[in-house]
Amino acid sequence: MMDQTFDQFGGGLPLGDGDAWPEVERAPLSIAVPWTEPGPPAPETIADDMRSRAGRTVDLLGADIGPEDTGLLWSAVFSVEGMKAPIFVWLEETDAPTAQHATDMAGVPEHKWTMVWQTRLDGADPVADWGLVLRTIGLSWPGTPAVHDVELSRWIMREEMVEPLLADEELEPAVESLWWVSASQREPGSPAWLKTSGMNRLGLPELEFLEVPVPLVPTTAHLLDELAARIAEDGPPPPGTRMAVGPELELRAVPPREVLPVLPANMPGQAADREPDAPPSIVFTGPEKVGATRPTWPPATSVLQRLADEPCVVYRATRSTKRRAHLARQTWDDLGMIHAKLARLDTKAMFAVKAVFGPESAREHCWLRIDTLEGNTASGVLDADTQMVPGLQEGDAHRVNRDEISDWCVVLNDKRFDPESVPALWRAVDALGAS
């Protein structure tokens, strides 16, 4: 994959005078924090925890006692150093089904209270705000093994996402943790409607693909993450214009109204499938209209099929690439120790690192299957021919340094691990040693 942002939108087709994406009202971010410490806390306790444990400057702007028999103990408003928007916090009783769900899904111990945070992320740098929220919660209440993203109905595990942020002040949270990609079908085996949820928390339209064949759903979900990261970094392309996925790979970004009138009735994503107050969205289609009598935008099947079948360069957001490279280099020592331990155990595993090749104007990030890993260097062979850099072919031997890599992966017993899953990789390796 290439570390490039898109900076051009070719071949714009006017859809109407003054056409533009509707303005998206920035939606709130809500995080539920199971209260695993003694007693129900008072608002002043919450402020003191953030000050003493997280080192934040915190002002309690106001607090109210909840109505009787509602399960709401209190609500309060805080200003926290580094956050432009205030944080609304309330403490509510945790009912038995909710507590059991937290235990089953995230290993949260039994608890009677849940603290809910709600704020809006700063439009200038929402990722930095998101990191500040996670670090503040992680430092202030270290006994909580997970928090719950209310809008996405997703558990955020402390070990996987929060602990790395606490251990490395330079690390950002993954921007894709701010949205969720879902797929829906009319019936098993039928084409799917894939869309993001959560882009509106960045003040951006949601993204979607229609009529996606089932075998292409994983490829499409990954591509949606990549497109969303780029749009979060650079903003959406103008309506009706092409957006380059990679070299000679283009999609068209159109409003839903351009495709819904011709969407087959048995396909999901119809107007009736959408909530009346759903945020605006962008539909990605094939790059050119088809049909002689009534040209229409086709599904993006041909582009998705190429991505699934062929080695392709895919443009990535610069910020995402830099974050992954930072994390890969920071965890290099873990990679080296695991490589050595598996060699001692005579256990087969596939190790690979991604390194950058080519000049600044056309860099390509390529995978090397590793044969040897010693100190700060790794040696291996290219996993595939390069697409952008001439003269590099599959099987060519190369040696790279730690500061040249942008990613790594380990495949052990058919499970893939990467810099985001180091604790899980260590558990898998230690289990082999104990057996």
Side-chain angles (χ1 to χ4, degrees), residues 43 60-67 72-77 89-91:
L60 176 57
L61 303 179
D64 293 301
I65 301 299
L72 178 67
L73 189 64
W74 52 258
S75 60
V77 183
V89 180
W90 61 90
L91 190 72

Side-chain angles (χ1 to χ4, degrees), residues 74 124 177 183 235 269 310 320 359 401 432:
W74 52 258
S177 64
E310 305 173 16
S320 296
N401 295 320
L432 290 172

Side-chain angles (χ1 to χ4, degrees), residues 28 51 81 96 115 168 182 202 223-224 236 283 346 370 403 415:
R51 294 183 188 116
E81 176 188 10
M115 176 175 59
D168 184 352
S182 62
L202 307 177
L223 180 60
L224 267 175
V283 178
D346 196 24
I370 295 305
D403 59 2
K415 289 190 66 176

Side-chain angles (χ1 to χ4, degrees), residues 324 328 331-343 347-354 367-370 373 405 407-429 432:
R324 191 56 169 252
T331 54
W332 177 273
D333 291 338
D334 290 279
L335 183 67
M337 289 186 285
I338 289 168
H339 185 271
K341 184 166 184 175
L342 291 179
T347 300
K348 289 186 177 180
M350 192 280 289
F351 284 76
V353 299
K354 186 182 282 188
W367 285 106
L368 294 175
R369 289 178 177 260
I370 295 305
L373 202 163
I405 71 164
D407 203 353
W408 59 256
C409 74
V410 177
V411 179
L412 176 63
N413 294 335
D414 296 325
K415 289 190 66 176
R416 188 183 188 278
F417 303 89
D418 57 39
E420 308 279 356
S421 52
V422 171
L425 175 56
W426 269 118
R427 284 195 293 270
V429 172
L432 290 172

Side-chain angles (χ1 to χ4, degrees), residues 193 208 210 256 260 263 268-278 281 283:
W193 171 34
E208 56 182 285
L210 295 164
L260 293 188
L263 183 65
Q270 308 285 343
D273 297 327
R274 300 165 186 261
E275 296 293 334
D277 58 350
S281 65
V283 178

Side-chain angles (χ1 to χ4, degrees), residues 16-174:
D17 292 339
D19 201 24
W21 302 117
E23 184 175 349
V24 179
E25 181 180 358
R26 191 175 298 275
L29 168 80
S30 306
I31 301 296
V33 184
W35 188 259
T36 58
E37 301 195 6
E44 293 80 4
T45 304
I46 301 302
D48 287 343
D49 286 348
M50 288 190 281
R51 294 183 188 116
S52 62
R53 298 175 179 177
R56 307 289 187 231
T57 299
V58 178
D59 289 322
L60 176 57
L61 303 179
D64 293 301
I65 301 299
E68 291 186 11
D69 301 323
T70 63
L72 178 67
L73 189 64
W74 52 258
S75 60
V77 183
F78 299 88
S79 68
V80 177
E81 176 188 10
M83 296 284 295
K84 285 190 175 181
I87 299 177
F88 298 87
V89 180
W90 61 90
L91 190 72
E92 60 188 25
E93 289 185 28
T94 307
D95 59 37
T98 301
Q100 189 61 52
H101 178 268
T103 299
D104 295 342
M105 299 301 295
V108 176
E110 184 178 350
H111 60 286
K112 295 179 60 177
W113 302 95
T114 298
M115 176 175 59
V116 183
W117 281 35
Q118 189 174 86
T119 189
R120 280 183 167 81
L121 301 176
D122 179 22
D125 196 346
V127 177
D129 262 13
W130 180 219
L132 182 60
V133 167
L134 291 174
R135 282 188 170 95
T136 301
I137 292 173
L139 289 168
S140 300
W141 302 286
T144 303
V147 297
H148 194 245
D149 184 326
V150 176
E151 284 80 29
L152 303 187
S153 190
R154 176 167 64 181
W155 285 98
I156 298 170
M157 303 306 296
R158 181 183 181 93
E159 179 187 73
E160 296 173 0
M161 189 165 170
V162 180
E163 290 289 356
L165 296 177
L166 301 183
D168 184 352
E169 292 184 358
E170 295 182 19
L171 183 65
E172 295 182 336

